[in-house]
Structure formats: C-alpha cells, structure tokens
Amino acid sequence: MKTSTTVLGILGAAAAGAFLGVLFAPDKGSNTRKKISDKSRKKISDKSKDYKDNLKGKVDDILHTIKANGKDILEDGKAKFNAAKEDFNAMKDEAKTVKTNY
C-alpha cells in the first residue's frame, strides 16, 4: 500500500505542476519556443564573434612575430653573404698572388 500511495502522490504532483504551468504560462508555446530559439542564436552569435576576434588577435600576434623575426633573419643572411663574398674575394686575390709568384 505504501508504494501505491507514493506513486499516486508523484503522479498527482506531476499533474498539478503541468496544470499550473499551463495556467501561468506567459505566452503560447510557439512564441516561447521562438523566444528561446532567438536568444540561443544571439548567444551563439556573440560567442562566435568573441571566438573570431580572439583568434584574429592571436593570428595577428603570430604574423607580427614572424615579420619581426624574418627581418632579423634576412639581415643575418645578408651579413653572412657579404662576409662570405669578402672571404671569397680575399682568397681569389691570394690565389692571383700565388700564381704570379710561381
């Protein structure tokens, strides 16, 4: 008997809750679903925009770093090229000197 009383109590409470929900609902179900859908889309749109802005900021930072490091690498490469060119010219001049002394 105790179990059946508990089940009846739960069913009665569920029915009362459903009745009160319908009685005090502020709007039609279709309108409520539309409002929920609109709010959800707005939140998703806002989150997407935040994510996009955050990602754009990170990509901009990475590009700036690459450009800055690229300039340094380019300058280092030019300096090494010029040093190698000077070494080559020095060896060429030394070779000429050895050739004329032979």
Side-chain angles (χ1 to χ4, degrees):
M1 282 279 239
K2 192 167 188 161
T3 303
S4 63
T5 306
T6 304
V7 171
L8 285 175
I10 291 173
L11 289 176
F19 176 74
L20 290 173
V22 169
L23 184 64
F24 291 108
D27 211 348
K28 289 185 351 182
S30 61
N31 291 341
T32 302
R33 287 189 297 275
K34 183 168 178 9
K35 286 178 186 177
I36 291 170
S37 175
D38 291 346
K39 285 183 182 180
S40 297
R41 285 185 191 155
K42 173 119 173 71
K43 284 190 182 221
I44 289 171
S45 175
D46 291 346
K47 290 283 184 183
S48 296
K49 185 178 181 318
D50 291 345
Y51 180 75
K52 182 187 84 167
D53 291 344
N54 187 13
L55 183 62
K56 185 182 181 314
K58 287 181 181 181
V59 169
D60 288 344
D61 290 346
I62 290 169
L63 288 175
H64 176 72
T65 302
I66 289 171
K67 285 179 183 178
N69 290 343
K71 287 179 183 177
D72 292 343
I73 291 170
L74 188 60
E75 291 300 320
D76 288 346
K78 284 180 182 178
K80 288 180 181 180
F81 174 78
N82 288 333
K85 185 174 157 184
E86 288 175 9
D87 289 345
F88 174 77
N89 287 333
M91 289 180 5
K92 184 174 80 170
D93 291 342
E94 187 177 329
K96 283 182 183 177
T97 303
V98 168
K99 182 179 174 185
T100 55
N101 288 338
Y102 248 163

